[in-house]
Amino acid sequence: MRIPIIYLLLCIGIAGCQKETNYATAEDKLANKDWYLEKKTVGQQAFAYSGVSTFSFRLSSNNKSYSDSDGITGGYTITEQPSMISLNISAGSRQIEAYKISLLEKDYAILEYTKNNLLNTFYFSTRR
């Protein structure tokens, strides 16, 4: 049995094609964008800020700097583990907050931390 040459070339061509997969890191998704607070929940209370002036922050990947709309500046670190991503923000010599990132997409992020036994959940968007 002879295999047609076109079939052979097609098989070789398909086998040689590989899809490049670019895996963006958490920092790639978070840095160099303005993030606006859209909603927050503290325990059972919810507060919505969609479409109004609200708290915002920016992470700069060039120098690992943090700045927010309250005038606080400092630095940040992002730790990625298989089961968790955390964002640590510090100003001066003190740590401001350590957030667990429960959702991170191109233009949406959900950050959480627990304080006084209450879960604080912050919903951010880039408003694009």
Side-chain angles (χ1 to χ4, degrees), residues 60-81:
S60 176
S61 63
N62 294 354
N63 54 3
K64 302 284 190 193
S65 67
Y66 167 87
S67 62
D68 67 29
S69 57
D70 291 339
I72 297 174
T73 60
Y76 73 91
T77 57
I78 297 173
T79 306
E80 290 189 69
Q81 299 173 352

Side-chain angles (χ1 to χ4, degrees), residues 11 13 20 26 36-37 41-42 47 56 71 88 94 96 106 110:
C11 289
E20 281 190 36
Y36 299 93
L37 181 63
T41 59
V42 179
F47 307 90
S56 64
N88 297 293
R94 67 181 181 98
I96 298 172
K106 180 181 174 189
I110 300 175

Side-chain angles (χ1 to χ4, degrees), residues 38-103:
E38 299 293 351
K39 177 181 163 184
K40 75 176 179 181
T41 59
V42 179
Q44 298 297 319
Q45 295 181 318
F47 307 90
Y49 305 102
S50 295
V52 298
S53 294
T54 184
F55 174 80
S56 64
F57 73 92
R58 183 176 185 84
L59 305 176
S60 176
S61 63
N62 294 354
N63 54 3
K64 302 284 190 193
S65 67
Y66 167 87
S67 62
D68 67 29
S69 57
D70 291 339
I72 297 174
T73 60
Y76 73 91
T77 57
I78 297 173
T79 306
E80 290 189 69
Q81 299 173 352
S83 62
M84 186 177 82
I85 301 171
S86 63
L87 169 63
N88 297 293
I89 300 169
S90 59
S93 61
R94 67 181 181 98
Q95 181 169 314
I96 298 172
E97 294 297 347
Y99 297 96
K100 175 186 165 212
I101 301 173
S102 59
L103 175 73

